[in-house]
Amino acid sequence: MGDAALTCPIPINEYPHVVMAHGGGGRLMNQLIERMFAPSLLASTDEPRHDSAVLNVPGARLAFTTDAFVVRPLFFPGGDIGTLAVNGTVNDLAMSGARPLYLSVSFILEEGLPMETLWRIVQSMQQAAQLANVRIVTGDTKVVDKGKGDGIFITTAGVGVLESPLTIAPEQVRPGDAALLSGDIGRHGITVMATREGLAFESMITSDCAPLAEPALALIDAGVDVHCMRDLTRGGLASALVEIAEEASVRINLDERTIPVNDDVRGACEILGLDPLHVANEGRFVCFVPAAEADRALAVLRSHPLSDSACLIGRVEEAETGIVTMKSMIGASRVVDMLSGEQLPRIC
Amino acid sequence: MGDAALTCPIPINEYPHVVMAHGGGGRLMNQLIERMFAPSLLASTDEPRHDSAVLNVPGARLAFTTDAFVVRPLFFPGGDIGTLAVNGTVNDLAMSGARPLYLSVSFILEEGLPMETLWRIVQSMQQAAQLANVRIVTGDTKVVDKGKGDGIFITTAGVGVLESPLTIAPEQVRPGDAALLSGDIGRHGITVMATREGLAFESMITSDCAPLAEPALALIDAGVDVHCMRDLTRGGLASALVEIAEEASVRINLDERTIPVNDDVRGACEILGLDPLHVANEGRFVCFVPAAEADRALAVLRSHPLSDSACLIGRVEEAETGIVTMKSMIGASRVVDMLSGEQLPRIC
């Protein structure tokens, strides 16, 4: 073994190679980030890790974030890799309470990608940026040999401005908070998988891919004391809530009956053996506010078309260590965990 | 043909597919950016396009940039993909006159990448960030199936602060300016290619990969009226100068005898049929200053170890359209152009 193998913070015996689940948004990805990337790379490990970093530059308080997009197939009902790449980064900024302003775009193209495909994706990005009211200001292009990529990968980074003095982050969540969900879950993941596998469901399900800055900022502008917001991407609602519960050291107690799932999505999940709580979304978020402000927050969310079916899904309680529990449809209570493996690879 | 094919700004008949040269830093990449990406994606096409975008956020003037890194092999004498990914983005920020502050890092990992390899690269990035005095504050990880990537691709984005009111950009270059070069050229490209192809040269050439913010900011801090700086990456010195000449509509007249090329690099270029002017660098930059300030600027650069062999390589003259010319070793004058094809794929 080389020196690097001896010091590697991921046990080489257990994981000698990267596996798909290291990118799946569940427990293994969490370990890779917490054990390897964060202690080595992130500037200060005691800063809360959220979807965006807060930058303190002279005269301004900014949010900064990045995401890579490797979704397959490139096009699916309700969006494509280009709309995902714009909205994904817009949403990460919005979840920190920032107004998204600027994006960068890096393309990694595989030799042989049809020029027409690239052009369709570029047009989608242009439209998505207009819709989300962000400006793409810088970019980069690399090409890799045929067989060394997969058509196109896109990485976006974003800068937004934090206009409110609120600190919106997982560790702000506290007992007594209400957990709100902006709409039904699981449509993006089921749509992409159905498209990829050529599954035909009775009615066409479309991705929920959408920019969330407007409803998120509407809450802040309305003066709601927002403690935390998190968009539900890889790993779904379950992963987002478990991460928040662990960072805040609280128990989040859900009521399954209140979590909206489209009938077609529920049916597809039953056929495929998936739990909708683990399925990816690209236009949904959870939000934690003091219980006394829950009704007002819901009214604000429901006035916006992208969150018009927002609902209360649970309550935050005191706990020794972070945990998410859920009262099921039939009244039993169970622990909700992140996936440990990989359920739906390359969903975003 | 679909609608997208009919409106595609790159002629589909001529280029039905992406080719390696679309990422090569030469004429074809330039066309892809100027015809497709810039008009569709960039917020305003009359903004000068430089390595970094200038952000006007409330209270601050910032630079923002991104680059993807796909170099093969991952490790080479003098650096690896991790050091490149940090220094490349640091250098883009520095070339706009910004002090690099914050980086984001996005990994696209191929299933099966040895964990030890990932750890070596992460350690390199940590060291490079320390050396360049930047803080990595946010990141993302995706994993793609075996055979759909190539070990690891890294995309970094960076935010820096513009502390000086100078506008440092290609269109600031004007007749009478002196063109300065920070050191010898071609070492990065030759090193990577020799490593990739298993070529053994008499002495080991190492990459020039280095963070350039210190020498670049030293010029500004010394009060030099810097008109433009540009780091020499893909496409080499030739591409950087042609881009600048075209954007500023000037003639840049070089003297080949003054351009430093290491003897081993020159020998390798002769054997391989390469022009050192087209070979990539990762720790060299050109700088345009008023002729009257050239000596002072050179003195500042030479006092820094990363630019201690800086030299005057040419002068800027009036011209109808942008052009780069060079007086050769034997006194003849020729036009210097970007590469139209691809010379050294995946060099960064």
Side-chain angles (χ1 to χ4, degrees):
Chain A
M1 273 210 261
D3 278 355
L6 293 172
T7 61
C8 183
I10 303 289
I12 297 268
N13 298 339
E14 203 178 342
Y15 290 103
H17 299 102
V18 169
V19 299
M20 291 303 289
H22 282 120
R27 195 57 76 185
L28 270 185
M29 187 171 97
N30 194 265
Q31 278 179 8
L32 186 66
I33 294 170
E34 295 297 322
R35 294 188 190 172
M36 184 187 288
F37 296 152
S40 302
L41 292 181
L42 287 187
S44 166
T45 54
D46 54 12
E47 277 184 20
R49 275 187 291 290
H50 198 32
D51 288 337
S52 297
V54 174
L55 310 185
N56 287 302
V57 298
R61 203 163 149 257
L62 301 175
F64 181 35
T65 190
T66 190
D67 264 338
F69 296 86
V70 300
V71 67
R72 290 187 72 189
L74 298 175
F75 302 90
F76 47 82
D80 60 39
I81 191 171
T83 47
L84 277 188
V86 170
N87 289 336
T89 289
V90 161
N91 292 350
D92 281 349
L93 292 172
M95 293 301 106
S96 66
R99 184 176 302 281
L101 295 178
Y102 299 104
L103 296 192
S104 67
V105 178
S106 260
F107 295 106
I108 297 176
L109 310 177
E110 185 192 12
E111 182 186 20
L113 175 72
M115 193 61 76
E116 183 180 347
T117 303
L118 178 60
W119 176 232
R120 284 176 64 195
I121 292 165
V122 166
Q123 288 175 296
S124 289
M125 297 186 80
Q126 179 184 30
Q127 288 159 16
Q130 275 174 0
L131 198 65
N133 204 18
V134 290
R135 304 173 70 204
I136 298 173
V137 291
T138 189
D140 186 47
T141 310
K142 294 292 192 303
V143 181
V144 298
D145 357 7
K146 204 172 179 92
K148 300 295 183 183
D150 196 13
I152 179 170
F153 301 141
I154 304 177
T155 300
T156 48
V159 172
V161 64
L162 290 153
E163 294 165 345
S164 149
L166 281 179
T167 299
I168 296 173
E171 79 280 6
Q172 298 295 316
V173 172
R174 58 200 62 160
D177 279 0
L180 312 181
L181 174 62
S182 73
D184 67 315
I185 59 169
R187 282 200 282 120
H188 175 73
I190 293 298
T191 302
V192 170
M193 202 178 48
T195 312
R196 188 191 301 166
E197 308 297 341
L199 307 178
F201 297 114
E202 290 209 9
S203 67
M204 179 68 94
I205 305 168
T206 61
S207 169
D208 49 60
C209 181
L212 296 173
E214 283 191 22
L217 292 173
L219 285 175
I220 297 169
D221 291 345
V224 174
D225 181 21
V226 177
H227 289 169
C228 180
M229 296 188 282
R230 178 70 64 99
D231 58 332
L232 312 176
T233 58
R234 280 177 292 178
L237 178 63
S239 284
L241 292 179
V242 170
E243 278 182 27
I244 291 168
E246 291 181 353
E247 286 175 48
S249 293
V250 295
R251 169 172 165 156
I252 301 174
N253 198 11
L254 304 174
D255 183 343
E256 188 173 14
R257 293 168 305 178
T258 62
I259 298 173
V261 183
N262 167 296
D263 284 342
D264 293 320
V265 169
R266 192 181 298 282
C269 282
E270 280 171 9
I271 293 168
L272 298 165
L274 301 174
D275 181 342
L277 293 185
H278 287 136
V279 177
N281 312 265
E282 287 292 336
R284 293 291 179 242
F285 68 108
V286 285
C287 169
F288 291 83
V289 302
E293 301 198 33
D295 285 345
R296 195 157 62 90
L298 283 173
V300 171
L301 290 174
R302 286 174 185 162
S303 70
H304 194 283
L306 290 173
S307 50
D308 55 7
S309 53
C311 52
L312 174 73
I313 59 165
R315 300 279 181 182
V316 179
E317 299 168 9
E318 279 194 47
E320 295 280 305
T321 53
I323 189 168
V324 179
T325 54
M326 184 165 75
K327 202 172 86 175
S328 74
M329 302 276 185
I330 54 169
S333 190
R334 69 170 173 98
V335 172
V336 173
D337 202 1
M338 292 185 193
L339 281 174
S340 64
E342 171 64 283
Q343 185 187 57
L344 298 169
R346 299 185 60 182
I347 211 71
C348 61
Chain B
M1 272 209 263
D3 279 355
L6 293 172
T7 61
C8 183
I10 303 289
I12 297 269
N13 298 338
E14 204 179 341
Y15 290 104
H17 300 102
V18 169
V19 299
M20 292 302 290
H22 282 121
R27 196 56 76 182
L28 271 186
M29 186 171 99
N30 194 266
Q31 278 178 8
L32 186 66
I33 293 170
E34 295 297 322
R35 293 186 191 174
M36 185 187 287
F37 296 152
S40 303
L41 293 181
L42 287 187
S44 167
T45 54
D46 53 13
E47 276 183 20
R49 276 187 293 288
H50 198 33
D51 288 337
S52 296
V54 174
L55 310 186
N56 287 303
V57 297
R61 207 164 146 253
L62 301 175
F64 181 35
T65 191
T66 189
D67 264 339
F69 295 86
V70 300
V71 68
R72 292 186 70 189
L74 298 174
F75 301 89
F76 47 83
D80 60 40
I81 191 171
T83 47
L84 277 187
V86 170
N87 289 336
T89 288
V90 161
N91 292 350
D92 281 349
L93 292 172
M95 293 300 106
S96 66
R99 184 176 302 282
L101 295 179
Y102 299 103
L103 295 192
S104 67
V105 178
S106 260
F107 295 106
I108 298 176
L109 309 177
E110 185 193 12
E111 183 187 20
L113 175 74
M115 193 60 77
E116 183 179 350
T117 303
L118 178 60
W119 175 232
R120 284 176 64 195
I121 291 165
V122 166
Q123 288 175 297
S124 289
M125 296 187 80
Q126 180 183 31
Q127 287 158 16
Q130 275 174 358
L131 198 65
N133 204 19
V134 289
R135 304 173 71 202
I136 298 173
V137 291
T138 189
D140 186 47
T141 310
K142 294 291 191 306
V143 181
V144 296
D145 358 5
K146 204 174 181 92
K148 299 295 183 185
D150 197 14
I152 178 170
F153 302 139
I154 305 177
T155 299
T156 48
V159 171
V161 63
L162 290 152
E163 294 165 346
S164 149
L166 281 180
T167 299
I168 296 173
E171 78 280 6
Q172 298 295 314
V173 172
R174 56 200 63 161
D177 279 1
L180 313 180
L181 174 62
S182 72
D184 67 316
I185 59 170
R187 282 200 282 120
H188 176 72
I190 294 299
T191 301
V192 171
M193 201 178 49
T195 311
R196 188 190 302 167
E197 307 298 340
L199 306 177
F201 297 112
E202 290 209 3
S203 67
M204 180 67 94
I205 305 168
T206 60
S207 169
D208 48 62
C209 182
L212 296 174
E214 282 192 22
L217 291 173
L219 285 174
I220 296 170
D221 291 345
V224 174
D225 180 21
V226 177
H227 289 166
C228 180
M229 297 189 282
R230 177 70 63 99
D231 58 333
L232 312 175
T233 57
R234 280 177 293 178
L237 179 63
S239 283
L241 292 178
V242 170
E243 278 182 25
I244 292 167
E246 291 182 352
E247 285 175 48
S249 293
V250 296
R251 170 173 164 156
I252 301 173
N253 198 12
L254 304 174
D255 183 344
E256 188 172 12
R257 291 168 307 180
T258 62
I259 298 173
V261 182
N262 167 295
D263 284 342
D264 294 320
V265 169
R266 193 182 296 283
C269 282
E270 281 171 11
I271 293 167
L272 299 165
L274 301 174
D275 182 341
L277 292 185
H278 288 137
V279 177
N281 312 266
E282 288 291 337
R284 294 292 180 241
F285 68 109
V286 285
C287 170
F288 291 83
V289 302
E293 301 197 33
D295 286 346
R296 195 157 63 89
L298 284 173
V300 171
L301 289 175
R302 286 173 184 159
S303 71
H304 194 282
L306 290 173
S307 51
D308 57 5
S309 54
C311 52
L312 174 73
I313 60 164
R315 299 279 181 182
V316 179
E317 298 168 10
E318 278 194 44
E320 294 280 303
T321 54
I323 190 169
V324 179
T325 56
M326 184 166 75
K327 204 171 85 176
S328 75
M329 301 277 186
I330 55 168
S333 189
R334 69 171 173 98
V335 171
V336 173
D337 202 2
M338 295 184 191
L339 282 174
S340 64
E342 172 62 285
Q343 187 186 55
L344 297 169
R346 301 186 58 184
I347 211 71
C348 61

